[in-house]
Amino acid sequence: KLGIWLFLASEIMLFGALFSAYIVERLGDPIPFLIGQSHLNVPLATINTAVLIASSVTVVMSWVSLKLKDIYKFRLYMGLTLVCAFIFLIIKYFEYTAKFDHGLFPSSNNFLAVYFTLTGLHGLHVIGGILVNGYFFGPGKSMWLTEPERFTNRIEVAGLYWHFVDLVWIFLFPALYLL
């Protein structure tokens, strides 16, 4: 667990630096940020927020299922976590393509540069979570047969990472879409 906490601390520093850059840029010249923000789809981002919050619940339930020695419920809840992650990425894809179709690119203005950087990096973290959780959902679950306690601990660690990914979005959503 210490390893994941150290890794998450480094990720907090990465996102913290990017959030700091966003704040400095926004305070320095707020007009491009207000204009850029007007092109964002708040309803879709709100749905994405609900999807990620639901995925935090399902990842906890997958771990609890293992603590209760119920591998079938683990598969159900981890499967739902993965579905939520894919839904998030699909919605993000539609958001990005809508912006590109309207000629809005990271090079358009500082707001869009920051928006695409922060949400793109977050999307990469979502993909990382899909890969790890997908492994444990699929071939990695064979560890349950030989080392159930170790497998449960790995799901707990993967869940910590997933909660971090969700928490980053909880900060991104209001900062980019609402404020």
Side-chain angles (χ1 to χ4, degrees):
K1 278 189 206 176
L2 177 62
I4 192 68
W5 284 112
L6 291 173
F7 172 72
L8 293 178
S10 72
E11 293 293 296
I12 290 168
M13 288 187 276
L14 171 64
F15 277 100
L18 291 171
F19 271 109
S20 297
Y22 169 72
I23 291 167
V24 168
E25 286 291 321
R26 183 165 182 151
L27 292 175
D29 192 6
I31 301 304
F33 283 79
L34 294 173
I35 293 168
Q37 206 172 28
S38 69
H39 297 291
L40 299 183
N41 191 324
V42 175
L44 278 181
T46 303
I47 292 168
N48 256 352
T49 303
V51 165
L52 281 185
I53 291 170
S55 75
S56 267
V57 172
T58 57
V59 81
V60 167
M61 294 306 295
S62 71
W63 174 74
V64 168
S65 297
L66 291 176
K67 289 299 239 181
L68 297 173
K69 302 189 183 338
D70 190 341
I71 190 73
Y72 299 107
K73 279 192 179 172
F74 158 77
R75 299 232 337 128
L76 169 70
Y77 289 119
M78 186 57 77
L80 289 172
T81 301
L82 291 167
V83 166
C84 287
F86 280 110
I87 289 170
F88 178 88
L89 289 178
I90 290 166
I91 290 173
K92 211 42 145 159
Y93 166 80
F94 284 115
E95 274 191 273
Y96 277 17
T97 55
K99 282 169 196 47
F100 296 152
D101 290 344
H102 289 97
L104 300 170
F105 300 99
S107 60
S108 299
N109 62 43
N110 283 345
F111 174 78
L112 290 173
V114 171
Y115 167 81
F116 282 113
T117 300
L118 283 169
T119 59
L121 184 60
H122 179 263
L124 289 174
H125 282 77
V126 171
I127 292 169
I130 288 171
L131 293 173
V132 171
N133 289 330
Y135 172 77
F136 288 128
F137 178 79
K141 81 170 177 9
S142 63
M143 185 189 297
W144 174 257
L145 300 173
T146 57
E147 301 177 86
E149 187 173 332
R150 185 172 176 212
F151 181 71
T152 303
N153 290 339
R154 291 199 175 184
I155 297 304
E156 181 181 13
V157 168
L160 290 173
Y161 173 80
W162 192 250
H163 291 313
F164 166 78
V165 170
D166 292 350
L167 187 61
V168 166
W169 183 256
I170 296 297
F171 283 95
L172 281 175
F173 174 61
L176 294 173
Y177 290 84
L178 303 178
L179 299 178

